[in-house]
Amino acid sequence: MSEWTTDLDIRVKLAVYRGAAERGVLPRAEEVASDVSATVQDVRDSYARLAQRRLLVLEPDGLTIRMAPPFSGVPTDHLVRSGGIAYFANCAWDALGIPVALHRPADVESRCGQSGTPLLLEVGLNGPAPSSWLFHCSVPAAQWWRDIVYT
Amino acid sequence: MLFFRSEESIDEWCRSRESPRRPSVRIDQLWQMAVAWYSTRLDPESRRPDAAQIRGIFARIGLKGDFWDPQADAFRAS
């Protein structure tokens, strides 16, 4: 085990991420607690540490996960379908991050931020099909985590 | 962090929101960003890249300058 986190944190992180990968939705704290044989309070404490490491973004209750990047806990404009499961991504970057994290091909459904024109991007194991579409981020990297939900 | 179908669409989006025009990123570059951030995310010991690693990742992809520097003084102070 490395010094950056506890064994419980590793198990909690895996329960969250693997739960998201298997079902397309982020698990509830009670489910994570059951998975790792810990109390919900232990999971809450672990969530706080994982959030400090920027591996989770929590709602104000400290128990609901808004983001386990690249997975989103709420519906967004970025839908990823892979292996018969639908996932919501936090942003355009994370829309490609989901097939990367899953190591599976996927179809990414999104839209142009300006015109709303639909985007369907087929993503294989080695990347997306050639596309003239672009990605744009208005927030500089040094400010991403000031308000990561806005970013 | 959005997709756009053209440079003109980005220009319009920035103009309509009075938001600064930032560098656009090609889809193949975005894929490399996703690989760098997320290829081990489901592994036990995975973590986010640190600031030095982030600078290296962006430089290799061709994204350079203060906008992509997570510790750029020009943006941290603002």
Side-chain angles (χ1 to χ4, degrees):
Chain A
M1 185 195 346
S2 65
E3 72 285 1
W4 68 278
T5 191
T6 68
D7 178 67
L8 175 64
D9 293 344
I10 292 173
R11 289 188 288 124
V12 166
K13 189 197 78 166
L14 289 177
V16 169
Y17 274 91
R18 290 180 179 171
E22 290 167 5
R23 295 162 43 201
V25 294
L26 295 172
R28 293 181 295 109
E30 292 81 1
E31 296 171 313
V32 173
S34 175
D35 273 2
V36 303
S37 302
T39 67
V40 170
Q41 183 60 49
D42 289 337
V43 169
R44 180 199 293 270
D45 295 343
S46 181
Y47 278 5
R49 291 189 292 271
L50 292 168
Q52 281 189 321
R53 297 288 173 180
R54 298 179 174 175
L55 290 168
L56 298 179
V57 177
L58 304 174
E59 299 287 8
D61 67 5
L63 277 174
T64 305
I65 303 171
R66 172 65 180 262
M67 299 178 179
F71 303 103
S72 172
V74 297
T76 69
D77 282 346
H78 312 285
L79 180 65
V80 180
R81 299 183 192 276
S82 178
I85 303 172
Y87 305 86
F88 285 109
N90 299 297
C91 64
W93 184 348
D94 286 358
L96 296 192
I98 287 177
V100 168
L102 297 173
H103 300 282
R104 291 202 312 248
D107 289 333
V108 171
E109 299 174 24
S110 186
R111 66 189 66 226
C112 174
Q114 171 60 22
S115 66
T117 303
L119 166 67
L120 175 58
L121 195 59
E122 293 182 18
V123 181
L125 292 176
N126 295 315
S131 172
S132 62
W133 282 62
L134 298 164
F135 167 84
H136 182 265
C137 174
S138 60
V139 181
Q143 297 177 4
W144 284 348
W145 283 85
R146 286 186 184 177
D147 183 351
I148 191 62
V149 173
Y150 172 76
T151 297
Chain B
M1 295 185 173
L2 299 170
F3 287 113
F4 291 90
R5 64 177 177 170
S6 66
E7 297 281 1
E8 292 74 19
S9 295
I10 299 175
D11 292 340
E12 288 178 37
W13 187 89
C14 293
R15 197 164 42 241
S16 67
R17 287 161 178 77
E18 298 182 344
S19 178
R21 178 63 152 91
R22 306 300 192 183
S24 53
V25 176
R26 302 187 311 270
I27 294 297
D28 63 295
Q29 292 174 305
L30 185 63
W31 172 255
Q32 294 303 319
M33 291 161 60
V35 168
W37 251 254
Y38 294 124
S39 61
T40 62
R41 187 51 62 99
L42 270 61
D43 296 345
E45 296 274 342
S46 71
R47 67 192 74 182
R48 292 182 78 254
D50 62 26
Q53 291 169 328
I54 289 172
R55 275 192 292 274
I57 291 165
F58 285 145
R60 282 196 301 278
I61 297 171
L63 304 175
K64 299 177 181 176
D66 282 351
F67 180 77
W68 299 106
D69 184 344
Q71 294 180 321
D73 289 338
F75 290 115
R76 292 178 80 188
S78 63

